[in-house]
Amino acid sequence: MKLDNALRANRIIVTAALICITALAAVLRLYDLERAGLGNLFYASTVYSMGLSVSNFLYAAYDPLGTFIVDKPPVALWFQVIFSKLIGFSGLAMILPMALASTAAVPLLYVTSKRAFGTGIGLLAAVIFAVLPVSVATARDSSMDPMLMLFLLVSVLFLQRAVEKCSLRLLIVWAILMGVAFNVKYFQAFIVLPASAIYILTSWRESLRPALIKWGLAGIVLLIVSLSWALAVDMVPSDSRPRVMNDPDDSVIGLILRYNGLNRALPQDVVVFLPPQGTSARQAAGLNQTARLFGTGNRGLGRLLGGSNGPLLGVTAILAIYGLVGLGFMSRKSLRGPPLFWFAWGGTGLIIFILGNRSPVHYFESFS
């Protein structure tokens, strides 16, 4: 507490520290970025195809002929297409938006966590996020997660201000940002919603009727923004647009609910890799070992601590839980307001990760 008070009293030191932390994050994410190549080739193919025509861009077409709509939402891909038009189609255009988004998330994490736990812990959170290997590795790839993180942290900032001021305008901005985040990576963005609901219900200082009106309006806006692209695509006749990848009903709503929803939550076999014809048993055994490096495994705590997850993700999660429990015993204030929001978000993410699909894992089809 004394350290936190000292940091709060000297804004120059705090600002300089935050600048250094952000600069470190930028170096780790941007240095020699072109070595990363095109990143995820699935997304690279989509970005290339989307850049060929306005129709492909709007529909997030996976292939140049606009035959299929990719099985991911469009917002992050749109950013990558824009970068590819500005600097040319390349690995840099694929990955630079994600590296920049992850870098910008560092000071945002400081600002949002500072409101809950103070300056010292805010700086510590920024440092951990800046140097955590999985965070750096994700930022140096073309996947959507860094951009999702950026949108979520901006939304948290507006949510905190909205709750403090009981402001409908700020709550609507939060709802819009959450809707956009949904169109970055679908339901993964909504992992924060239970924590947001708990935070709003326990910290909104206003009589019930006006509060319910504001919450209801924000909920409607959230729903409209979240489903706007999916409904717009589904309203177009199937023979006048690309077909939706990985959905038997050729529906984006179906894709969201099934392939990117229930299929990732309900227990079932998951084929991680499908080997080519003629693969020998020895080659299959080697490929099985490779598949396990992706962190898949059985449900339960063993999934967090075992395999490739244990050394970094598992240890980090255990330290975070230890810290949160310690804060809870130290001060009752940590059990309400902004701290409660972070506790709930972390708990929700941990539960979903432990219980989420990919278990039991069927790495490969049977070999005769």
Side-chain angles (χ1 to χ4, degrees), residues 224-269:
I224 290 174
V225 177
S226 298
L227 299 180
S228 57
W229 182 77
L231 292 175
V233 172
D234 280 355
M235 289 174 63
V236 178
S238 296
D239 57 359
S240 299
R241 59 165 171 80
R243 181 175 180 81
V244 178
M245 184 184 293
N246 287 329
D247 187 72
D249 295 333
D250 191 22
S251 166
V252 179
I253 297 296
L255 175 76
I256 293 170
L257 295 177
R258 288 187 288 266
Y259 181 77
N260 285 304
L262 293 176
N263 290 352
R264 297 175 184 265
L266 298 179
Q268 56 183 294
D269 286 353

Side-chain angles (χ1 to χ4, degrees), residues 264-286:
R264 297 175 184 265
L266 298 179
Q268 56 183 294
D269 286 353
V270 176
V271 178
V272 179
F273 292 118
L274 187 64
Q277 291 292 330
T279 302
S280 67
R282 182 177 180 179
Q283 290 172 323

Side-chain angles (χ1 to χ4, degrees), residues 1-19 21 106-128 327 339:
M1 295 300 294
K2 292 182 178 180
L3 174 62
D4 192 59
N5 292 334
L7 290 172
R8 189 182 296 111
N10 197 328
R11 293 185 178 180
I12 296 177
I13 294 177
V14 172
T15 302
L18 185 58
I19 291 173
I21 295 169
V106 171
L108 277 170
L109 180 60
Y110 161 75
V111 172
T112 52
S113 59
K114 172 189 172 183
R115 288 177 174 270
F117 303 111
T119 304
I121 293 181
L123 288 174
L124 179 61
V127 169
I128 293 174
L327 285 172

Side-chain angles (χ1 to χ4, degrees), residues 14 23 39 83 92 134 145 184 192 202 222 228 236 250 272 274 284 317 366:
V14 172
F83 270 75
L92 189 61
V134 67
D145 299 87
V184 172
V192 71
T202 58
L222 173 59
S228 57
V236 178
D250 191 22
V272 179
L274 187 64
S366 298

Side-chain angles (χ1 to χ4, degrees), residues 108 112 145-159 174 177-178 181-182 188-193 341-342 345:
L108 277 170
T112 52
D145 299 87
M147 190 161 291
L148 175 63
M149 173 63 76
L150 180 63
F151 274 105
L152 289 180
L153 287 174
V154 175
S155 73
V156 169
L157 184 61
F158 277 93
L159 178 63
W174 166 79
L177 289 167
M178 283 301 305
F182 181 82
Q188 188 171 327
F190 281 0
I191 293 175
V192 71
L193 282 186
F341 166 80
W342 289 101
W345 189 3

